[in-house]
Amino acid sequence: MTRPLLSNTVARRLFLDRHLLLNPKAGTGKGRDLDGVLGDLGFVQVDSVNTLARAHDLILWSRRGRYRPKALENLVAKDRTAFEHWTHDASIIPMPFYPMWRLKFIRDEARMRARWSADRRAGWEAEIETVLQHVADHGPVCSLDVGGTEKKASGGWWDWHPSKTALEFLWRSGQLAICHRKGFRKFYDLSERVIPPEWLNARRSDPETIDWAMTAAITRLGFGTSGELAAFFDIVTRTEAADWCASALADGRILNAIVELADGTPRPCFTTHAVLDTVPSLPAPSTRVRLLSPFDPALRDRTRAERLFGFRYRIEIFVPEAKRQYGYYVFPVLQGDRLIGRIDVKRTGSALHVRGFWPEPGVLMGKMRCAGLSAELGRLCGLAGTDDVTFAKDWLQT
């Protein structure tokens, strides 16, 4: 049987459509509408860097221009329609997914016990029951509320004293849940006080969880290798993913396909008939210039982004400024189905200040495209809480 071939143009458009970026819909960006966006994406990564806006806020704003941070806070802390845990990194996840995270709780607990003894300060395991009892007796706590007599370094954020480590262990293993944040500081409570009973008490077998995770991943990515599907939620092992793909292929639930990469190379992958059926009705790409988070789910796999879009992206955090090709923390810029460049922009007082924009090879920055970029920055002021956009003299790095 001939494998379906997705040209690079079709593959990019399908991938962006699955990530709600090809031609984003209008919506309130809160409540049920935001629940729907989160469910369609599968999760949004949480990150502390706030030079412009936090990663999760920028990700959601890119799909819903009316979104504001309070709306996501309400889903987690008030409505309880989402919870915070880990995929490949700390993320906000739809609450209906909670039963499937139990397998991750178990696997993370085993991994932490095996690795943290060497990676963390000694004594944290002895604090587990003490910290758990403290939360049970006193309610929500943050890391400052535990380990009062323990020696703490002045660094604060990175100081994993034994009680803080125990607190994180209890969260990662599912015994505690994040009930809310103040600023960016997490507050933890017993899971039974945070997670609604219908999700807390639901159970799924390991095979059911694996099947759900793989099916959900291929639906949200559109296509991928078994390793890419396993990495989406980071619940399933590589071996389990390969076995699932073999079984699903034999059952006709998935099929082999070929994706043309940006350099013309054919790459085998898996997809579904349901996904392929959507290709003829894909909307035309939006012509709007869009600024994305470096942790956008469409870009977090840097290797895949380079293969599919020809866009090599790295954050040059640990590179000395004199040796950086771009700024320390640059944002990818999308137009249509193409990543057209990266921009160094940050909040400076009441303005967004653009230090530099680097177009991708072959991208011409004419008047219309520059106007589109300026318009996007103007829209971004509403999220960033600024009222003006300023540009460095030599901002356009052509």
Side-chain angles (χ1 to χ4, degrees), residues 99-118:
M100 281 67 76
W101 249 250
R102 289 192 174 278
L103 179 58
K104 190 168 183 65
F105 297 158
I106 294 168
R107 291 179 170 178
D108 280 0
E109 178 172 352
R111 193 177 297 117
M112 289 183 291
R113 288 191 184 277
R115 296 180 183 177
W116 282 15
S117 294

Side-chain angles (χ1 to χ4, degrees), residues 20-30 32-37 40 60-67 283 286 288 290:
L20 310 184
L21 285 172
L22 186 62
N23 202 329
K25 298 178 181 178
T28 63
K30 59 184 178 182
R32 289 185 178 181
D33 179 63
L34 188 58
D35 278 329
V37 173
D40 287 344
L60 295 170
W61 178 84
S62 298
R63 277 83 177 167
R64 293 290 190 272
R66 294 166 63 185
Y67 166 83
S286 169
R288 173 177 159 180
R290 293 185 180 275

Side-chain angles (χ1 to χ4, degrees), residues 302 305-306 309-314 326 342 360:
R302 309 297 194 219
E306 186 171 356
F309 295 96
F311 184 74
R312 182 172 176 79
Y313 181 73
R314 298 289 187 275
Y326 310 111
R342 61 205 81 202
E360 285 292 278

Side-chain angles (χ1 to χ4, degrees), residues 86 108 111-126 128 150 157-169 171-172 186:
W86 279 69
D108 280 0
R111 193 177 297 117
M112 289 183 291
R113 288 191 184 277
R115 296 180 183 177
W116 282 15
S117 294
D119 296 344
R120 302 290 188 266
R121 282 166 53 181
W124 67 269
E125 288 180 285
I128 291 173
E150 294 171 359
W157 184 269
W158 300 109
D159 176 32
W160 282 55
H161 55 84
S163 292
K164 176 177 178 176
T165 303
L167 193 62
E168 289 286 310
F169 172 86
W171 169 52
R172 292 284 298 274
K186 295 180 290 190

Side-chain angles (χ1 to χ4, degrees), residues 210-211 214 218 224-227 229 236 238-256 269-271:
I210 292 167
D211 183 66
M214 294 294 286
I218 201 168
T225 65
S226 64
L229 299 179
V236 178
R238 294 264 176 160
T239 299
E240 290 167 344
D243 290 345
W244 182 90
C245 286
S247 175
L249 190 62
D251 293 343
R253 290 182 290 151
I254 63 173
L255 66 151
N256 287 309
C269 67
F270 298 106
T271 188

Side-chain angles (χ1 to χ4, degrees), residues 98-100 102 198-205 208-209:
Y98 189 85
M100 281 67 76
R102 289 192 174 278
E198 62 267 32
W199 305 119
L200 179 71
N201 298 325
R203 296 292 186 273
R204 301 288 187 273
S205 68
E208 287 174 328
T209 297

